Amino acid sequence: MNQQPFSISVYEVVGDSICVSQADGLRLFEVLKAALDEGCEVVLSFAGVESLTTSFLTAAVGQLLLHFSEDDLKNRLRARDLKKLHTELLGEVVKRSRLYYADREGYTLGRERVLEAA
């Protein structure tokens, strides 16, 4: 594993202070995954980011749990420069993603049942 943390600026990858689209999240995901695949420790800076959505965060960070263990991500991925609300959103996305990837089939079946009942 590399010793020097690899710094990624969300603002620079997205090119905007508004981070709301899934497409922008996927672009950030590709950068994050590549660095983590290389064995890097990653510092993800949200400096300059004004708005975030769960859709963006799920695409960017949530799906990392499909490729890396939660422990691995806790040890090698750090987020900084987050507003309080953004920290809460990120925590919620990680929680939901962990539950989803732990039981994708059950999650999908449960969701379908809820939608059928509505």
Side-chain angles (χ1 to χ4, degrees), residues 6 19 22-23 25 28 41 51-53 66 75 77 93 109 116-117:
F6 184 73
C19 300
Q22 187 176 30
L28 180 58
E41 180 180 320
S51 296
L52 283 174
T53 63
L66 180 61
N75 290 326
L77 179 60
V93 163
L109 288 173
E116 287 173 1

Side-chain angles (χ1 to χ4, degrees), residues 10-11 14-20 46-52 86:
V10 174
Y11 180 85
V14 173
D16 199 337
S17 64
I18 310 298
C19 300
V20 296
F46 286 85
V49 173
E50 294 299 319
S51 296
L52 283 174
H86 297 163

Side-chain angles (χ1 to χ4, degrees), residues 31-92:
V31 174
L32 280 169
K33 186 175 180 305
L36 292 166
D37 281 343
E38 292 291 321
C40 295
E41 180 180 320
V42 177
V43 176
L44 186 59
S45 172
F46 286 85
V49 173
E50 294 299 319
S51 296
L52 283 174
T53 63
T54 55
S55 177
F56 171 84
L57 289 171
T58 299
V61 179
Q63 70 174 324
L64 289 172
L65 288 164
L66 180 61
H67 304 279
F68 304 96
S69 72
E70 188 173 357
D71 285 340
D72 193 22
L73 291 175
K74 282 181 181 178
N75 290 326
R76 295 196 301 132
L77 179 60
R78 299 278 179 263
R80 69 170 195 215
D81 307 316
L82 282 158
K83 296 179 179 184
K84 184 179 182 205
L85 175 61
H86 297 163
T87 300
E88 293 168 3
L89 282 176
L90 181 58
E92 198 56 36

